[in-house]
mmCIF file of all heavy atoms in Angstrom:
data_model
loop_
_atom_site.group_PDB
_atom_site.id
_atom_site.type_symbol
_atom_site.label_atom_id
_atom_site.label_comp_id
_atom_site.label_asym_id
_atom_site.label_seq_id
_atom_site.Cartn_x
_atom_site.Cartn_y
_atom_site.Cartn_z
ATOM 1 N N ALA A 105 5.923 25.830 -24.246
ATOM 2 C CA ALA A 105 4.953 25.116 -23.538
ATOM 3 C C ALA A 105 5.601 24.080 -22.732
ATOM 4 O O ALA A 105 5.209 23.692 -21.555
ATOM 5 C CB ALA A 105 3.895 24.512 -24.512
ATOM 6 N N ASP A 106 6.594 23.387 -23.258
ATOM 7 C CA ASP A 106 7.291 22.355 -22.524
ATOM 8 C C ASP A 106 7.956 22.922 -21.353
ATOM 9 O O ASP A 106 7.958 22.313 -20.274
ATOM 10 C CB ASP A 106 8.256 21.676 -23.551
ATOM 11 C CG ASP A 106 8.998 20.434 -23.009
ATOM 12 O OD1 ASP A 106 8.344 19.633 -22.177
ATOM 13 O OD2 ASP A 106 10.214 20.304 -23.176
ATOM 14 N N ALA A 107 8.587 24.022 -21.545
ATOM 15 C CA ALA A 107 9.282 24.678 -20.376
ATOM 16 C C ALA A 107 8.369 24.964 -19.280
ATOM 17 O O ALA A 107 8.700 24.958 -18.077
ATOM 18 C CB ALA A 107 10.050 25.869 -20.863
ATOM 19 N N LEU A 108 7.158 25.363 -19.580
ATOM 20 C CA LEU A 108 6.192 25.832 -18.528
ATOM 21 C C LEU A 108 5.322 24.552 -18.061
ATOM 22 O O LEU A 108 4.523 24.757 -17.147
ATOM 23 C CB LEU A 108 5.163 26.800 -19.239
ATOM 24 C CG LEU A 108 5.771 28.135 -19.603
ATOM 25 C CD1 LEU A 108 4.893 29.026 -20.301
ATOM 26 C CD2 LEU A 108 6.315 28.844 -18.336
ATOM 27 N N GLY A 109 5.453 23.433 -18.643
ATOM 28 C CA GLY A 109 4.690 22.303 -18.241
ATOM 29 C C GLY A 109 3.280 22.347 -18.667
ATOM 30 O O GLY A 109 2.327 21.803 -18.054
ATOM 31 N N LEU A 110 3.091 22.984 -19.915
ATOM 32 C CA LEU A 110 1.655 23.168 -20.427
ATOM 33 C C LEU A 110 1.478 22.198 -21.566
ATOM 34 O O LEU A 110 2.261 22.236 -22.558
ATOM 35 C CB LEU A 110 1.540 24.570 -20.901
ATOM 36 C CG LEU A 110 0.180 25.028 -21.467
ATOM 37 C CD1 LEU A 110 -0.874 24.739 -20.554
ATOM 38 C CD2 LEU A 110 0.311 26.474 -22.088
ATOM 39 N N PRO A 111 0.555 21.253 -21.450
ATOM 40 C CA PRO A 111 0.267 20.307 -22.575
ATOM 41 C C PRO A 111 -0.010 21.058 -23.866
ATOM 42 O O PRO A 111 -0.885 22.067 -23.804
ATOM 43 C CB PRO A 111 -0.847 19.442 -22.040
ATOM 44 C CG PRO A 111 -0.889 19.702 -20.585
ATOM 45 C CD PRO A 111 -0.421 21.090 -20.348
ATOM 46 N N PHE A 112 0.499 20.624 -25.008
ATOM 47 C CA PHE A 112 0.317 21.290 -26.183
ATOM 48 C C PHE A 112 -0.057 20.125 -27.370
ATOM 49 O O PHE A 112 0.708 19.259 -27.535
ATOM 50 C CB PHE A 112 1.544 22.037 -26.747
ATOM 51 C CG PHE A 112 1.433 22.672 -28.139
ATOM 52 C CD1 PHE A 112 0.334 23.071 -28.718
ATOM 53 C CD2 PHE A 112 2.665 22.868 -28.786
ATOM 54 C CE1 PHE A 112 0.278 23.633 -29.859
ATOM 55 C CE2 PHE A 112 2.664 23.509 -29.996
ATOM 56 C CZ PHE A 112 1.458 23.806 -30.549
ATOM 57 N N LEU A 113 -1.281 20.356 -27.882
ATOM 58 C CA LEU A 113 -1.638 19.442 -29.042
ATOM 59 C C LEU A 113 -1.559 20.236 -30.271
ATOM 60 O O LEU A 113 -2.409 21.094 -30.566
ATOM 61 C CB LEU A 113 -3.082 18.830 -28.829
ATOM 62 C CG LEU A 113 -3.581 17.894 -29.924
ATOM 63 C CD1 LEU A 113 -2.592 16.880 -30.282
ATOM 64 C CD2 LEU A 113 -4.957 17.365 -29.552
ATOM 65 N N CYS A 114 -0.530 19.976 -31.017
ATOM 66 C CA CYS A 114 -0.268 20.709 -32.264
ATOM 67 C C CYS A 114 -1.046 20.166 -33.310
ATOM 68 O O CYS A 114 -1.052 18.992 -33.668
ATOM 69 C CB CYS A 114 1.217 20.573 -32.681
ATOM 70 S SG CYS A 114 1.747 21.559 -34.053
ATOM 71 N N SER A 115 -1.874 21.043 -34.100
ATOM 72 C CA SER A 115 -2.782 20.698 -35.004
ATOM 73 C C SER A 115 -2.250 20.336 -36.425
ATOM 74 O O SER A 115 -2.581 19.355 -37.029
ATOM 75 C CB SER A 115 -3.925 21.695 -35.138
ATOM 76 O OG SER A 115 -4.494 22.011 -33.911
ATOM 77 N N SER A 116 -1.429 21.330 -36.921
ATOM 78 C CA SER A 116 -1.110 21.329 -38.324
ATOM 79 C C SER A 116 0.402 21.308 -38.656
ATOM 80 O O SER A 116 0.701 20.994 -39.757
ATOM 81 C CB SER A 116 -1.833 22.527 -39.009
ATOM 82 O OG SER A 116 -3.172 22.397 -38.936
ATOM 83 N N ALA A 117 1.308 21.749 -37.771
ATOM 84 C CA ALA A 117 2.602 21.928 -38.137
ATOM 85 C C ALA A 117 3.383 20.525 -38.329
ATOM 86 O O ALA A 117 3.091 19.656 -37.558
ATOM 87 C CB ALA A 117 3.423 22.707 -37.067
ATOM 88 N N VAL A 118 4.264 20.450 -39.363
ATOM 89 C CA VAL A 118 4.716 19.107 -39.676
ATOM 90 C C VAL A 118 6.292 18.906 -39.374
ATOM 91 O O VAL A 118 6.730 17.789 -39.595
ATOM 92 C CB VAL A 118 4.422 18.760 -41.129
ATOM 93 C CG1 VAL A 118 2.957 18.726 -41.327
ATOM 94 C CG2 VAL A 118 5.128 19.757 -42.099
ATOM 95 N N LEU A 119 7.006 20.000 -39.148
ATOM 96 C CA LEU A 119 8.449 19.867 -38.965
ATOM 97 C C LEU A 119 8.785 18.674 -38.020
ATOM 98 O O LEU A 119 8.247 18.577 -36.922
ATOM 99 C CB LEU A 119 8.973 21.152 -38.401
ATOM 100 C CG LEU A 119 10.437 21.387 -38.550
ATOM 101 C CD1 LEU A 119 10.964 21.507 -39.928
ATOM 102 C CD2 LEU A 119 10.907 22.631 -37.751
ATOM 103 N N ASP A 120 9.626 17.770 -38.469
ATOM 104 C CA ASP A 120 9.954 16.550 -37.778
ATOM 105 C C ASP A 120 10.384 16.964 -36.279
ATOM 106 O O ASP A 120 9.970 16.399 -35.302
ATOM 107 C CB ASP A 120 11.074 15.736 -38.383
ATOM 108 C CG ASP A 120 10.512 14.863 -39.551
ATOM 109 O OD1 ASP A 120 9.727 15.306 -40.303
ATOM 110 O OD2 ASP A 120 10.903 13.758 -39.585
ATOM 111 N N ALA A 121 11.401 17.796 -36.242
ATOM 112 C CA ALA A 121 11.939 18.308 -34.932
ATOM 113 C C ALA A 121 11.111 19.440 -34.319
ATOM 114 O O ALA A 121 11.448 20.590 -34.254
ATOM 115 C CB ALA A 121 13.481 18.787 -35.156
ATOM 116 N N LEU A 122 9.912 18.976 -33.838
ATOM 117 C CA LEU A 122 9.011 20.006 -33.307
ATOM 118 C C LEU A 122 9.554 20.546 -32.012
ATOM 119 O O LEU A 122 9.260 21.596 -31.608
ATOM 120 C CB LEU A 122 7.616 19.418 -33.149
ATOM 121 C CG LEU A 122 6.520 20.426 -32.800
ATOM 122 C CD1 LEU A 122 6.294 21.426 -33.902
ATOM 123 C CD2 LEU A 122 5.163 19.581 -32.644
#
Side-chain angles (χ1 to χ4, degrees):
D106 186 36
L108 294 173
L110 180 60
F112 176 28
L113 179 51
C114 182
S115 304
S116 294
V118 299
L119 197 66
D120 281 43
L122 193 59

